[in-house]
Amino acid sequence: MHQLIVSAGPHLHVADSTRGIMLDVILALLPAGAAAVALFGWRSLLVMAVCVAAAVLSEYISRKIMRRDTTIGDLSAVVTGLLLAYNLPVTIPLWMAALGSAISIIVVKQLFGGLGQNFVNPALIGRIVLMMSFTAAMSQWTLPLAQQTVDAVTSATPLAIAKAGDSAQMPELMELFLGRHAGSLGETCALALLLGGVYLCIRRVITPLVPVVFVCTTGLLTFLAGYNPLEQILSGGLLLGAIFMATDYATTPINWKGKLIFAVGCGAITAFIRIFSSLPEGVSFSIIIMNIVTPHIDRLTIGKPFGSRKPERQAQ
Amino acid sequence: MAHNPKKELIRQKRRVRGGVRVPHYKNTADCATVELPVPGQVTIAMQQHIGRPCIPCVKKGDRVLVGDRVGDCTDGMCVPVHTGVSGQVTGITELLLPNGQSCQAVQIEADGQQTVSDAVCPPVVENREMFLQAVKDAGLVGLGGAGFPAYIKLNPGKPVDTLVVNAAECEPYITCDNREILENAQDIMRGVYAIRRYTDVQQVIFVVESNKPAAIRTLCDIAADSADTDNSVRVMRVASRYPRGAEKLTIYAATGRKVPPGGLPADVGCIVMNVTSVGTLGRYLQTGMPLVAKRLTVDGSAVQCPMNVRVPIGTAIKDVIAFAGGYAQEPGKLLMGGPMMGIALPDDTLPVLKQNNAILALNKQDAESPAFSACIRCGRCIKACPMGLQPVTVETDLRAENIGRLQKDGVQSCMECGCCAYVCPARRPLVQSMRLAKQALRR
């Protein structure tokens, strides 16, 4: 007698796994990490290492305390740690970086049930908490090493320059594209971020819908408000946020209609913050706000089964 | 020399959303059907169709011949069953079918003579009623897997104008419809013309997946050669994508008509029949031999020699596997049907049923059910669902026991094709969730 397994179909399965998807995201983040090291020096690597280590350790310990299975093998904590690091200035004290990671993982992710259950992007909350708590350390925008001079180590970010209307200080578009300007670790090099985005699209981890709509909405609205849209798109955290955070599975709408609404909302809120508020940058807040309305967007955009007809729906 | 089909193919115009690209594994596509040597014993189930079970019309000790009726119809939706071997009835037993139902079964010890019964003679068909009676007497059910009685399908009580012959065969491994087309194209055409003559059907569309070029060529040729003067029989090639052979999707591909949720093909003027069903009908009209044997694809990593084999209905699966060289490796899973929707069997002594089209034995490695982890909300199940449902949402609402929302989620449209679970990177058992959700709605 053979020992046969009886289970429900399907009895075939794709090879993709959660871990594989996370690995793809990590790979896609690597160009931006390499750019950060090239621009801001080896300390950026140290910040990334600390953030990732703190994230993984927090996940491991918090799962242990809550007596749940260890989930660090799915690599999602690595992604969160990396994303947080990319949102920090290179000069950040390492303990602050570690604290940010711990808050992201423990408070935002694990306390809400772990992978897939968090309702806002963990890395963004980590960044915002650090921003609110340590404003001075978090807004020390070092220039890339190559551009530092004896009397200028830090500089205003391009967005702050644009807000001040100081066009003489504004870096060239090419400089913006290559990331040769002051800013967070991983946000400055548009080229590296775009490479990562293209990789994710090719691997079908994300679709271009959200990043493209997000970026275009912000570009269009800032253009209408009299800013140079290309400068707006290439500066600040827009590309990092649009490619890597507005496409996070857990915290964004699940079907394409919802994703479209989400992307337009993110783009509009980012533009409004940049145009009207006293803050120079609004990508983090826009994504967080749209994260919070995501469950409602999901409910409103639920699809109709194949063959449904309008009159019948009303009749029901 | 390039082959020049005499009949023009219709290209698929409409793309149905969803579906998944599955590996084809059509290893047996070129394996001509071989006959299984008459097995020593067969067990003929009285429930091989959707509807009410048959009542055994033979008793222990009776001698039966090939084509003899062993199960008779009761009232209501029912299809008679016949024996494919000659021999002696050794008993009436209770049988647990793979789907969990249990029914009576007639056990017959074969004498190996295969003497054909006198009752087997071509039916006289002059009008619609006689035709439908003949279809019923043939013991014909939907051979694509569902086992819906064909005589009811052909008499839907609603105006129909189109016969869609489903030859998509989108499940991996299975090639028996492909072989039916290559080996019995004349029977298929005979069936098609009979249906066109005795029902209101005006156009006939064969739907074949593009991974069966030889079958497509054969159908085109035979349709051109036959008495199809008004070009009402056409062949459509569709992209190979599981589950293209699902009834509603086949209708949509062929005609652009969408069967509403909870509706039947007749609601949009269509009859859908599996190509082997049509071929079997054509054969019955010619020879009078009812549905007593079935072509099966025997394949899978644990099978020694994958093949297509025609077996008398009621043959034990282990006899079929033994004919295919036995198990090459220790089997981990035995499937009745394809790997996407097939039913895993608890043991290999179960008999072959009419609606079976494949027996797959997977080795231990292929049989392993992957461990599942947390949903990451990637939305791949939504993209994969051919019915436009959101399996992830159903799962969440099911866990929350939110019946109101489950109703709005359209759970009833789910046909359990398994695309969602197939693509899920967290390997969540989404098909089970769908079934549980349907059950929750029924309560």
Side-chain angles (χ1 to χ4, degrees):
Chain A
M1 195 69 223
H2 304 287
Q3 285 228 316
L4 296 173
I5 300 173
V6 177
S7 66
H11 310 281
L12 267 185
H13 209 282
V14 283
D16 300 4
S17 64
T18 302
R19 185 193 167 91
I21 291 173
M22 294 299 165
L23 202 60
D24 271 339
V25 177
I26 293 168
L27 282 177
L29 281 166
L30 285 184
V37 174
L39 292 165
F40 298 106
W42 290 104
R43 194 172 194 279
S44 42
L45 197 62
L46 190 63
V47 175
M48 290 179 221
V50 166
C51 280
V52 169
V56 173
L57 200 67
S58 312
E59 174 138 319
Y60 181 77
I61 294 173
S62 58
R63 298 287 295 192
K64 273 274 176 243
I65 293 173
M66 292 192 279
R67 294 204 179 89
R68 293 179 176 196
D69 319 333
T70 305
T71 51
I72 53 173
D74 65 26
L75 300 180
S76 61
V78 177
V79 172
T80 304
L82 262 187
L83 279 175
L84 177 67
Y86 286 12
N87 276 289
L88 302 176
V90 68
T91 51
I92 185 101
L94 295 178
W95 68 269
M96 288 187 196
L99 179 71
S101 268
I103 290 171
S104 300
I105 293 292
I106 299 171
V107 178
V108 186
K109 190 175 162 195
Q110 291 305 337
L111 288 188
F112 282 89
L115 182 65
Q117 299 296 316
N118 50 297
F119 69 101
V120 280
N121 192 307
L124 281 182
I125 293 289
R127 175 196 138 95
I128 287 170
V129 168
L130 291 180
M131 192 79 179
M132 299 291 161
S133 318
F134 314 107
T135 314
M138 282 293 288
S139 39
Q140 184 134 25
W141 304 115
T142 318
L143 277 167
L145 295 176
Q147 288 167 303
Q148 289 180 7
T149 58
V150 179
D151 45 27
V153 174
T154 61
S155 149
T157 61
L159 283 177
I161 297 169
K163 193 126 207 163
D166 193 356
S167 55
Q169 293 276 324
M170 197 69 191
E172 303 265 323
L173 276 181
M174 203 45 170
E175 301 281 286
L176 285 176
F177 184 68
L178 294 176
R180 290 151 60 82
H181 58 89
S184 303
L185 272 188
E187 73 177 20
T188 61
C189 184
L191 174 65
L193 292 168
L194 287 173
L195 275 178
V198 169
Y199 175 75
L200 287 182
C201 290
I202 291 172
R203 297 283 297 156
R204 298 188 179 228
V205 172
I206 63 170
T207 58
L209 177 78
V210 170
V212 169
V213 173
F214 187 168
V215 167
C216 289
T217 309
T218 303
L220 181 72
L221 290 176
T222 48
F223 171 69
L224 293 178
Y227 292 88
N228 180 340
L230 278 178
E231 280 175 13
Q232 289 293 324
I233 289 170
L234 294 175
S235 342
L238 183 56
L239 287 176
L240 178 64
I243 296 172
F244 289 100
M245 292 170 162
T247 55
D248 174 40
Y249 291 149
T251 57
T252 64
I254 202 155
N255 63 37
W256 70 269
K257 276 186 228 160
K259 284 185 202 294
L260 188 66
I261 298 172
F262 179 88
V264 170
C266 283
I269 296 172
T270 301
F272 292 150
I273 292 178
R274 286 185 179 184
I275 297 164
F276 298 112
S277 89
S278 55
L279 291 170
E281 174 58 314
V283 172
S284 309
F285 287 110
S286 72
I287 296 176
I288 293 285
I289 291 169
M290 292 310 288
N291 283 167
I292 294 170
V293 293
T294 289
H296 301 287
I297 298 177
D298 270 343
R299 264 297 143 201
L300 290 173
T301 54
I302 199 160
K304 293 283 173 286
F306 176 84
S308 296
R309 287 175 209 153
K310 272 184 182 157
E312 278 184 2
R313 277 213 312 275
Q314 281 158 2
Q316 276 168 7
Chain B
M1 194 180 79
H3 185 87
N4 185 20
K6 293 173 190 163
K7 190 99 179 176
E8 200 150 315
L9 270 177
I10 344 175
R11 286 264 189 82
Q12 181 187 10
K13 289 184 208 114
R14 307 160 195 92
R15 270 189 59 104
V16 185
R17 214 171 65 101
V20 290
R21 237 187 270 165
V22 292
H24 297 313
Y25 299 139
K26 302 278 189 190
N27 314 318
T28 53
D30 298 327
C31 300
T33 313
V34 286
E35 293 284 337
L36 183 83
V38 184
Q41 189 186 320
V42 294
T43 309
I44 300 172
M46 291 295 110
Q47 174 95 63
Q48 305 194 39
H49 52 266
I50 295 176
R52 301 179 63 171
C54 294
I55 306 288
C57 58
V58 289
K59 56 185 189 303
K60 191 175 172 178
D62 281 1
R63 187 172 154 68
V64 290
L65 301 175
V66 177
D68 270 342
R69 198 178 275 212
V70 294
D72 233 337
C73 283
T74 49
D75 295 341
M77 195 157 89
C78 185
V79 180
V81 287
H82 307 80
T83 169
V85 297
S86 60
Q88 199 159 33
V89 177
T90 52
I92 313 280
T93 54
E94 195 72 9
L95 181 73
L96 184 65
L97 296 172
N99 64 6
Q101 275 182 310
S102 101
C103 71
Q104 287 185 301
V106 174
Q107 276 184 335
I108 298 168
E109 202 168 271
D111 56 12
Q113 305 292 319
Q114 291 302 85
T115 323
V116 177
S117 164
D118 294 339
V120 174
C121 56
V124 182
V125 176
E126 277 158 9
N127 57 37
R128 184 191 173 90
E129 280 64 43
M130 290 167 97
F131 174 68
L132 292 174
Q133 188 58 44
V135 173
K136 188 172 180 179
D137 291 340
L140 191 59
V141 299
L143 298 179
F148 191 83
Y151 77 96
I152 294 184
K153 209 177 242 192
L154 289 169
N155 187 21
K158 285 184 184 168
V160 290
D161 57 4
T162 305
L163 170 68
V164 179
V165 183
N166 191 347
E169 201 162 58
C170 55
E171 278 260 14
Y173 291 105
I174 309 180
T175 59
C176 58
D177 285 348
N178 177 51
R179 294 315 305 177
E180 176 77 15
I181 296 169
L182 296 180
E183 293 165 13
N184 301 324
Q186 292 292 352
D187 292 335
I188 297 170
M189 278 304 149
R190 199 173 296 120
V192 161
Y193 288 123
I195 293 170
R196 211 181 58 175
R197 183 154 168 208
Y198 296 112
T199 65
D200 309 329
V201 164
Q202 280 145 28
Q203 59 165 346
V204 181
I205 303 175
F206 284 89
V207 176
V208 198
E209 271 196 355
S210 56
N211 63 359
K212 289 175 267 296
I216 293 172
R217 236 176 292 142
T218 309
L219 281 176
C220 285
D221 288 354
I222 197 97
D225 284 344
S226 59
D228 179 33
T229 44
D230 53 353
N231 195 30
S232 64
V233 180
R234 291 179 298 164
V235 183
M236 175 180 261
R237 176 173 56 197
V238 295
S240 303
R241 195 175 174 86
Y242 179 84
R244 201 49 89 232
E247 197 169 65
K248 289 183 176 183
L249 303 186
T250 312
I251 293 175
Y252 184 66
T255 65
R257 303 175 195 170
K258 288 185 173 182
V259 180
L264 289 171
D267 293 337
V268 292
C270 289
I271 295 173
V272 183
M273 280 183 89
N274 173 272
V275 69
T276 303
S277 306
V278 178
T280 308
L281 173 62
R283 260 191 309 284
Y284 176 72
L285 296 176
Q286 175 86 348
T287 64
M289 180 60 82
L291 179 55
V292 294
K294 185 71 205 289
R295 180 190 292 104
L296 295 176
T297 298
V298 186
D299 201 348
S301 46
V303 167
Q304 189 79 47
C305 340
M307 58 165 63
N308 281 300
V309 55
R310 190 192 310 279
V311 309
I313 283 157
T315 308
I317 285 170
K318 65 175 182 348
D319 294 345
V320 181
I321 301 246
F323 181 66
Y327 295 111
Q329 301 173 43
E330 179 65 18
K333 214 181 235 181
L334 196 60
L335 298 177
M336 204 175 236
M340 295 299 285
M341 287 188 79
I343 301 176
L345 302 175
D347 68 84
D348 58 6
T349 57
L350 282 160
V352 171
L353 305 176
K354 284 178 185 175
Q355 65 268 45
N356 287 165
N357 43 24
I359 293 171
L360 303 180
L362 306 180
N363 64 21
K364 290 274 181 210
Q365 196 190 336
D366 291 350
E368 216 148 301
S369 314
F372 64 88
S373 55
C375 170
I376 54 171
R377 285 174 42 91
C378 63
R380 292 177 188 199
C381 52
I382 298 175
K383 278 192 200 137
C385 182
M387 288 289 116
L389 309 181
Q390 300 198 165
V392 48
T393 315
V394 173
E395 205 192 29
T396 321
D397 292 343
L398 178 71
R399 214 177 315 148
E401 294 180 6
N402 194 329
I403 302 294
R405 278 190 177 171
L406 278 180
Q407 241 139 17
K408 283 191 194 141
D409 292 339
V411 182
Q412 300 296 3
S413 292
C414 174
M415 54 188 179
E416 299 170 18
C417 63
C419 289
C420 48
Y422 174 79
V423 295
C424 180
R427 274 100 162 115
R428 298 196 66 80
L430 291 163
V431 177
Q432 278 101 315
S433 292
M434 282 298 194
R435 288 184 189 150
L436 287 171
K438 286 184 194 171
Q439 257 174 32
L441 283 185
R442 249 177 260 142
R443 277 201 300 268

